[in-house]
Amino acid sequence: MKHHEFDQLQNLARIQDYPHPVMPRDERLQRWAELLEADPPRLLSTLHETEYQPRAVRAVLRCNNSAISVAFDDPVLRAAGMKNDTYGEAKRFFELSDKQLHRIVCYCHFGATVSAQTTASYIRAKHVDQPESLMARLRAMFVG
């Protein structure tokens, strides 16, 4: 029997449809904000002109040291199902619209860099600390 480190095993085998722990959207967004708040003055790179990119190009946009890469670097969010640090994956994983994610990561709102604290504060204000809408409460009553 040959022994391998966990990281090596990931390169040797691909496990299809491995079940991820269920983590509700609110908890994923909360975790993202907490990760950013862990190093408030950290300057993060922004993505350039996300709103002008064709959908296919926008989906694969990424850059090192972005707010999205901070989330992807977290083993808890990866275990919950975050697959990479692209714009499209962040949109899917955090269940955000293009408009919502654009406001968090785009160059046009912050310039080339933005502090982690500014990003965390925005995520909290718009997506975490919001009181539940009437529609969300009704949906919870009927769906469970």
Side-chain angles (χ1 to χ4, degrees):
M1 181 181 222
K2 191 171 183 180
H3 294 277
H4 295 282
E5 294 292 323
F6 182 73
D7 291 341
Q8 292 172 326
L9 287 175
Q10 287 181 323
N11 291 330
L12 293 172
R14 291 280 180 211
I15 300 173
Q16 298 294 324
D17 299 323
Y18 182 76
H20 298 291
V22 175
M23 185 180 227
R25 176 184 186 263
D26 292 345
E27 288 180 26
R28 287 177 272 158
L29 289 164
Q30 172 76 25
R31 176 81 179 178
W32 192 13
E34 290 170 357
L35 292 166
L36 294 164
E37 290 165 342
D39 188 4
R42 178 179 177 179
L43 291 180
L44 302 171
S45 300
T46 57
L47 299 175
H48 196 68
E49 297 183 341
T50 63
E51 72 275 30
Y52 298 119
Q53 304 299 327
R55 181 173 288 144
V57 173
R58 184 172 49 238
V60 297
L61 280 177
R62 64 160 307 280
C63 66
N64 294 330
N65 194 42
S66 70
I68 299 169
S69 65
V70 169
F72 181 66
D73 287 343
D74 180 51
V76 172
L77 293 179
R78 282 198 316 274
M82 190 169 190
K83 298 174 185 167
N84 59 49
D85 66 349
T86 63
Y87 179 97
E89 178 59 9
K91 180 181 167 187
R92 180 201 68 81
F93 181 73
F94 291 110
E95 299 177 40
L96 297 168
S97 68
D98 279 313
K99 182 178 179 180
Q100 291 169 324
L101 187 55
H102 162 80
R103 187 65 181 96
I104 296 169
V105 300
C106 192
Y107 172 91
C108 70
H109 295 286
F110 307 107
T113 60
V114 61
S115 76
Q117 182 59 56
T118 298
T119 305
S121 295
Y122 183 82
I123 291 169
R124 282 197 181 283
K126 296 297 183 179
H127 304 290
V128 176
D129 295 337
Q130 288 289 311
E132 238 183 328
S133 70
L134 176 60
M135 289 304 291
R137 287 182 294 194
L138 288 172
R139 184 175 27 252
M141 285 174 30
F142 291 107
V143 176

